[in-house]
Amino acid sequence: MKAVIVYDSVYGNTKAIAEAVAAGLGAGARAVPVAGFVPGSLQAGDLLVVGSPINGWRPTPAIASALGDLAGGGLTGVKAAAFDTRLKLFIHGDAGKKISRALQEAGASIIGGPMAFYVKGTEGPLLAGEAGRAAAWAVELAAAMK
């Protein structure tokens, strides 16, 4: 299985989660910043995980643009999941749900609900245990691929 974890990161927290997901998925998985993502490199049966910090109640503009480029079936046959990084607040927005919806609209099969990973303060760091939670989630995604 080839897996690509595409992320945008402002303070490094989303990058850390993307790398933990890649590590949890094992061989064949790599974390790629959104600027380096090549959509044409994905084939049916591959896994695409997309992550973003919450930015004004939604994914960052770079992630939104990349997802827009995939609209209209660019991910047909690709398995996908989404995550976001956020503060632990009562009202916080939900970039993960918006990313999942965009992935599905682009033709991907969503294999797991969007996940939220938490940071302490606007700039982080990640709350204790979040990288481990990301790696465990990756194991669940790998199992859903079988």
Side-chain angles (χ1 to χ4, degrees):
M1 159 188 72
K2 179 170 121 184
V4 178
I5 301 84
V6 176
Y7 66 90
D8 195 16
S9 194
V10 178
Y11 300 108
N13 301 302
T14 308
K15 177 183 179 184
I17 294 296
E19 290 172 345
V21 170
L25 288 168
R30 61 188 177 95
V32 177
V34 67
F37 175 52
V38 179
S41 67
L42 295 170
Q43 300 175 14
D46 289 344
L47 174 62
L48 173 63
V49 180
V50 179
S52 174
I54 290 180
N55 180 277
W57 308 99
R58 61 180 90 38
T60 63
I63 290 290
S65 176
L67 292 168
D69 291 345
L70 296 169
L75 295 177
T76 301
V78 173
K79 310 291 185 193
F83 71 90
D84 62 41
T85 53
R86 60 175 77 173
L87 293 169
K88 205 167 207 176
L89 299 173
F90 177 69
I91 299 174
H92 47 65
D94 196 332
K97 280 186 184 176
K98 290 175 176 74
I99 294 168
S100 276
R101 189 169 31 253
L103 290 167
Q104 192 168 27
E105 289 170 1
S109 298
I110 305 301
I111 62 167
M115 288 293 290
F117 298 98
Y118 298 99
V119 298
K120 179 179 180 180
T122 302
E123 296 182 18
L126 291 167
L127 292 181
E130 291 301 276
R133 225 169 47 83
W137 179 58
V139 171
E140 292 175 19
L141 293 176
M145 291 289 291
K146 296 178 180 176

